[in-house]
């Protein structure tokens, strides 16, 4: 169908919640996608850190076909084998003992907040329910998670916001120490802020948070929705810091694009949920968890976290070389593994457009950061090509 007409209908019939690029993507394979005019792109957005195994991965396609033809959905009143196997596998490969499945990142965080509050009330005073989160963080768009998202631009017009949220600057342990009081239930943090600008904290930050939480009996919730599933070069980003959370949330890459969310917790914390305290219709259904099982098994068997570390080094090295040659046009390259942010002098929107014109799709983050989150199966030639295109795009956008 004609792209111009599609865009006209989009303007007329969709709620205008996103600024969209003038492109309709219709097909994908591995690291590449094609638009409705047949133009090919390298996809370094990964559907915002979702398609870890790339597009149309044969194992994912196979599981989807088989599961859809066998049993797509049943309710959580029944045992669901795929859900049980995926939960077992996630627990075997993480700090966690138990999992609750939902449909998105926001829902996974919503669940984490509810679980932490319920646990805190059972292990303290009845008014213990405050969540401390970090400025510049991002946790979702539901009312509770958008409130946990300590960026006022996402709050405007949605007041009154739910009570019980406190904000402190990111990467500042003293501020957390001062903010914790007898009403605090949990500290909620991304190990690396993704949407906020690929902000990497100091090495001592997560261990410091863990220590503060242990000393005060407060829960540590890590939002690994963007950083988890191998993206940063370890299966979970918390492994870089050598400490584990009490609750971790996942979504995005867990089923490579089939909507899913997961809230993982220790036995002790998970015990706050009993039958009837929380629920979901779709969460953990055979299709989503069946695909999740295939994705997670593939990730582990093919050691894709290690690959992400290797490919991430190549990407960051290439971009740092570009920074050196850029005469100040590239201000900083940061990140871990295949989650990389590049601070630019030129307006990031112009560089994104220039990349797209040249056949590379990239993301933005924070105020003026170009963000890259390619599939973990990305190969060396694609990385080198992406760096080359970014170099040209930065050149195109010189004032
Ligand atoms: C760290 C983090 N948490 C939560 C979310 C919300 O996830 P979803 O859009 O699936 O609700 C996102 C989405 O970008 C995210 O990056």
């Amino acid at each position: 169908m004609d792209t111009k007409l599609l865009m006209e209908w989009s303007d007329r019939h969709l709620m205008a919640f996103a600024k969209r690029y003038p492109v309709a993507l219709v097909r994908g394979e591995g690291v590449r996608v094609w638009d409705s005019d047949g133009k090919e792109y390298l996809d370094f957005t990964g559907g915002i850190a979702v398609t870890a195994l790339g597009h149309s991965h044969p194992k994912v396609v196979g599981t989807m076909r088989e599961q859809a033809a066998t049993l797509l959905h049943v309710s959580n009143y029944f045992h669901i084998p795929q859900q049980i196997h995926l939960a077992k596998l996630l627990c075997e490969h993480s700090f966690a003992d138990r999992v609750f499945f939902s449909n998105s990142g926001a829902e996974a965080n919503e669940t984490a907040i509810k679980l932490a509050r319920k646990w805190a009330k059972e292990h303290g005073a009845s008014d213990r329910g405050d969540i401390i989160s970090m400025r510049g963080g991002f946790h979702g768009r539901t009312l509770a998670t958008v409130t946990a998202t300590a960026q006022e631009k996402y709050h405007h017009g949605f007041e009154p916001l739910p009570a019980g949220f406190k904000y402190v600057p990111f990467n500042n342990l003293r501020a957390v120490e001062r903010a914790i009081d007898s009403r605090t239930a949990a500290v909620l943090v991304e190990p690396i802020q993704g949407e906020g600008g690929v902000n990497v904290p100091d090495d001592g930050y997560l261990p410091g948070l863990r220590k503060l939480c242990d000393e005060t009996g407060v829960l540590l919730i890590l939002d690994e929705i963007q950083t988890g599933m191998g993206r940063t070069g370890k299966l979970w980003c918390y492994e870089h810091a050598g400490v584990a959370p009490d609750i971790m949330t996942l979504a995005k890459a867990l089923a490579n694009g089939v909507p899913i969310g997961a809230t993982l917790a220790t036995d002790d914390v998970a015990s706050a949920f009993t039958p009837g305290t929380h629920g979901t219709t779709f969460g953990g259904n055979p299709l989503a968890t069946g695909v999740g099982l295939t994705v997670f098994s593939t990730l582990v068997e093919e050691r894709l976290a290690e690959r992400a570390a290797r490919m991430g080094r190549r990407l960051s090295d290439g971009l740092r070389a570009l920074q050196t040659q850029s005469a100040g046009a590239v201000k900083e390259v940061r990140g871990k593994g295949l989650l990389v942010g590049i601070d630019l002098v030129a307006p990031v929107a112009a560089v994104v457009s220039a990349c797209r014109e040249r056949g590379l799709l990239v993301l933005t983050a924070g105020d003026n950061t170009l963000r890259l989150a390619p599939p973990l199966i990305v190969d060396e030639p694609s990385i080198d090509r992406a760096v080359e295109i970014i170099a040209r795009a930065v050149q195109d956008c010189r004032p």
Side-chain angles (χ1 to χ4, degrees), residues 135-388:
R135 294 236 170 248
F138 187 87
H139 301 291
R141 302 286 198 148
T142 61
L143 274 171
T145 59
V146 87
T147 307
T149 297
Q151 301 193 54
E152 275 74 17
K153 67 178 177 189
Y154 294 115
H155 300 168
H156 289 315
F158 299 124
E159 301 85 358
L161 298 172
F165 292 88
K166 263 189 187 175
Y167 310 138
V168 295
F170 185 58
N171 199 22
N172 184 332
L173 288 170
R174 283 282 297 142
V176 179
E177 191 177 358
R178 277 196 298 270
I180 291 178
D181 61 24
S182 61
R183 295 165 64 109
T184 310
V187 169
L188 168 62
V189 63
E190 294 158 87
I192 295 175
Q193 290 187 331
E195 301 295 314
V198 192
N199 303 319
V200 185
D202 298 337
D203 288 346
Y205 185 57
L206 282 190
L209 285 180
R210 179 70 275 174
K211 188 160 174 282
L212 280 176
C213 288
D214 287 343
E215 286 166 358
T216 51
V218 162
L219 297 178
L220 178 60
I221 308 173
L222 288 187
D223 178 341
E224 292 242 21
I225 286 164
Q226 190 153 153
T227 55
M229 301 289 292
R231 164 108 354 238
T232 68
K234 301 256 187 214
L235 201 44
W236 318 116
C237 193
Y238 70 71
E239 292 175 53
H240 292 287
V243 292
D246 302 294
I247 302 176
M248 171 170 77
T249 52
L250 302 175
K252 290 194 182 281
L254 184 51
N256 211 59
V258 176
I260 192 168
T263 307
L264 288 73
T266 59
D267 255 333
D268 172 33
V269 174
S271 68
F273 275 179
T274 50
T277 47
H278 195 48
T280 170
T281 298
F282 294 121
N285 83 9
L287 181 74
T289 48
V291 175
L293 192 57
T294 295
V295 172
F296 195 71
S297 312
T298 307
L299 207 80
V300 171
E301 281 158 22
E302 298 186 4
R303 297 175 169 274
L304 292 182
E306 285 169 33
R307 187 188 172 93
R310 228 174 33 249
M311 293 299 148
R313 256 192 310 276
R314 188 176 183 101
L315 181 59
S316 293
D317 287 351
L319 292 168
R320 292 214 169 93
L322 162 62
Q323 180 187 2
T324 310
Q325 293 151 18
S326 76
V330 174
K331 291 200 283 189
E332 195 187 7
V333 177
R334 56 177 180 266
K336 267 199 167 78
L338 285 172
L339 182 59
V340 176
I342 309 157
D343 273 357
L344 299 163
V345 171
V348 69
V351 180
V352 169
S353 296
C355 285
R356 196 175 59 245
E357 291 298 312
R358 291 179 174 277
L360 174 70
L361 302 181
V362 292
L363 295 161
T364 62
D367 292 334
N368 205 49
T369 303
L370 197 77
R371 179 175 35 146
L372 307 176
L376 310 189
I377 49 110
V378 68
D379 56 11
E380 284 95 346
S382 303
I383 292 210
D384 297 347
R385 177 87 190 115
V387 173
E388 200 182 302

Side-chain angles (χ1 to χ4, degrees), residues 15-84:
M15 292 199 193
F17 72 96
K19 266 193 218 145
R20 294 177 199 268
Y21 301 124
V23 172
L25 299 174
V26 293
R27 188 165 71 85
E29 199 183 307
V31 192
R32 294 174 303 160
V33 285
W34 286 264
D35 72 14
S36 48
D37 297 324
K39 179 169 171 170
E40 181 182 319
Y41 304 86
L42 264 180
D43 181 8
F44 269 49
T45 72
I48 322 186
V50 167
T51 52
L53 301 188
H55 298 282
S56 308
H57 190 285
K59 286 189 186 165
V60 173
V61 174
T63 302
M64 286 196 74
R65 284 215 172 102
E66 204 181 302
Q67 199 54 56
T70 313
L71 186 68
L72 193 149
H73 176 83
V74 291
S75 80
N76 279 299
Y77 286 118
F78 301 94
H79 291 287
I80 299 171
Q82 294 80 1
Q83 187 183 125
I84 298 164

